[in-house]
Amino acid sequence: MSLRLATFNVENLMNRFDFSGFRNQLNQDRTLALFEIKSEAEYRALEQARAIAHSDDTRQLTALAIAATRADIICMQEVDNIEALKAFEYGYLFKMVGQGYRQKYTTSGNDSRGIDVALMMRDETAHGQPIEFVRMTSHAHLTYGELGLHTPELAALGQEPHERIFRRDCLEIDLKIGGKPLTLYLVHFKSMGGAPRNGMDGRHATMPIRFAEARAVRHIIEQRFGRDRATDKRWAICGDMNDYRQRVVIEGDGPSDYRFEVRDEAVSCLDALLHDGFCENVVERRPEMDRWTLYHTRGPQERHLCQLDYILLSRSLAEENAGAVPDIIRNGQPYRTPFPVGQEVSHFPRVGWDRPKASDHCPVAVTLDIV
């Protein structure tokens, strides 16, 4: 009995307009920045028109990327609410793949923009095994103090013991696949940010928050299954962890001159979950140069490919699926993304240089035997 599991940051799947760009230029789309807009009413009308026109192309590409995963269950990040998810699935994905994802689950987390983690799944696997929802548990309320995770590094960032750990949630979803239990933990960790702080770049400055999130996920799993038995249970952690253990640094002046070099990172929040075999990042079964799910750039001086999107399998589930190698769907990447030699793909129709695109992230999908 096999199951196709995927994760994907679909980027701002929203059913509302964001007008904050009228007063905050950092939130203003670059298209509107080209024009002189004299009033908030005019800005709102233009932003509505822009968002609607832009969203149709984007969501067609998002749906193509999801369809390409062939997933029975897909864990998603940056979903506004259940209404937005239903509208997207019916209006785009169902019309594309025919047999839709009838079961959809999400709940409000801690994100100030209102974008949350979510799950869509079919009624049965491609092989006809029923997929049964058992229960959903949010852990968005947990604080640093409750789990004993407050540190001096967090205090230096202005984080108090009473504050919530997860920037979105750790959504625990219990399922049965053909009658066999499987627990999924859906996460979306703190972003790395862009501005340096205390002499550190954005990634290292925000690292203590992601470490706390990773430790909290591990605590939740060990409390659920028992510290000595957790690795023997059937579970997976899926989502955008906004951190990496390696990156592929890009140098050179253009496509014909690009040079790609793999560099290991000295520290990563993933270490809190992976260092002692608690679980396995199965994407690391792919060649080092071919593990990336996102292209990051701040100009020619800062360009790299890295893995931000993860399916982490419990030790037992990973051992039962020792031969499973995940797929990474990169056809929705914009043309500006540099591909190492031999990794080139056929882009989805209408992908642009920078946009439209399916997402800056690539879906990750893996076929698992549930025994």
Side-chain angles (χ1 to χ4, degrees), residues 3 21 32-33 68 75 90 136 140 185 203 264 294 304 338 361:
L3 170 75
L32 296 188
C75 306
Y90 178 73
M136 177 173 71
Y185 295 90
R203 175 174 178 257
D264 293 332
L294 179 133
H304 64 253
H361 297 255

Side-chain angles (χ1 to χ4, degrees), residues 60-343:
Q60 288 188 60
L61 295 170
T62 303
L64 280 169
I66 291 175
T69 68
R70 299 174 289 107
D72 302 311
I73 299 173
I74 181 157
C75 306
M76 306 169 74
Q77 302 86 51
E78 299 200 11
V79 173
D80 198 355
N81 50 47
I82 197 69
E83 288 76 19
L85 189 57
K86 287 179 178 178
F88 165 71
E89 191 272 338
Y90 178 73
Y92 292 87
L93 195 56
F94 177 77
K95 297 178 185 302
M96 184 175 296
V97 301
Q99 182 184 2
Y101 292 85
R102 294 192 175 185
Q103 302 188 63
K104 307 173 186 68
Y105 303 94
T106 186
T107 189
S108 294
N110 300 322
D111 190 279
S112 59
R113 297 171 296 166
I115 50 174
D116 299 306
V117 295
L119 180 139
M120 291 196 307
M121 62 189 193
R122 303 187 188 278
D123 290 332
E124 59 182 32
T125 71
H127 298 282
Q129 297 294 328
I131 303 175
E132 177 187 353
F133 173 83
V134 178
R135 64 175 171 267
M136 177 173 71
T137 306
S138 169
H139 297 283
H141 62 281
L142 292 174
T143 67
Y144 298 116
E146 283 182 81
L147 300 191
L149 294 176
H150 196 255
T151 63
E153 291 79 11
L154 288 167
L157 292 174
Q159 301 292 303
E160 301 291 340
H162 67 270
E163 292 189 83
R164 294 182 174 188
I165 298 169
F166 294 110
R167 284 305 177 267
R168 285 88 184 181
D169 200 348
C170 174
L171 192 60
E172 181 178 8
I173 298 183
D174 288 301
L175 308 170
K176 287 186 178 179
I177 314 299
K180 298 183 181 297
L182 172 68
T183 303
L184 300 178
Y185 295 90
L186 281 59
V187 300
H188 185 187
F189 286 177
K190 165 69 178 173
S191 66
M192 288 184 270
R197 180 171 179 167
N198 299 328
M200 296 183 287
D201 61 27
R203 175 174 178 257
H204 288 90
T206 54
M207 185 74 74
I209 296 175
R210 286 190 299 281
F211 255 110
E213 290 180 298
R215 289 170 179 144
V217 173
R218 180 162 181 162
H219 174 91
I220 290 165
I221 295 172
E222 290 179 338
Q223 284 290 104
R224 165 73 186 276
F225 297 111
R227 179 170 295 182
D228 297 331
R229 300 185 300 275
T231 58
D232 298 327
K233 301 300 181 178
R234 191 182 292 115
W235 49 263
I237 307 167
C238 302
D240 174 3
M241 298 189 185
N242 269 313
D243 208 350
Y244 46 83
R245 302 215 294 173
Q246 288 180 323
R247 58 194 174 111
V248 180
V249 176
I250 303 167
E251 297 178 342
D253 297 326
S256 62
D257 188 43
Y258 281 145
R259 300 180 300 280
F260 299 87
E261 179 185 349
V262 176
R263 296 183 187 174
D264 293 332
E265 296 297 316
V267 63
S268 167
C269 77
L270 276 298
D271 298 340
L273 294 163
L274 299 173
H275 76 279
D276 59 352
F278 180 69
C279 55
E280 182 184 343
N281 172 20
V282 289
V283 169
E284 292 185 358
R285 296 176 179 179
R286 296 172 64 97
E288 287 185 322
M289 190 73 74
D290 197 18
R291 298 171 181 172
W292 61 275
T293 66
L294 179 133
Y295 169 52
H296 168 84
T297 179
R298 295 190 185 279
Q301 74 284 355
E302 187 178 341
R303 297 175 301 184
H304 64 253
L305 303 166
C306 60
Q307 182 190 0
L308 295 189
D309 307 276
Y310 294 84
I311 296 177
L312 307 181
L313 302 182
S314 69
R315 183 189 301 168
S316 175
L317 192 55
E319 289 174 351
E320 291 171 359
N321 291 274
V325 179
D327 298 311
I328 301 174
I329 312 301
R330 300 188 178 121
N331 309 72
Q333 283 287 293
Y335 279 94
R336 66 180 174 85
T337 301
F339 282 69
V341 175
Q343 295 184 24

Side-chain angles (χ1 to χ4, degrees), residues 28-36:
Q28 186 176 112
D29 185 82
R30 64 193 183 207
T31 306
L32 296 188
L34 294 171
F35 298 91
E36 181 182 2

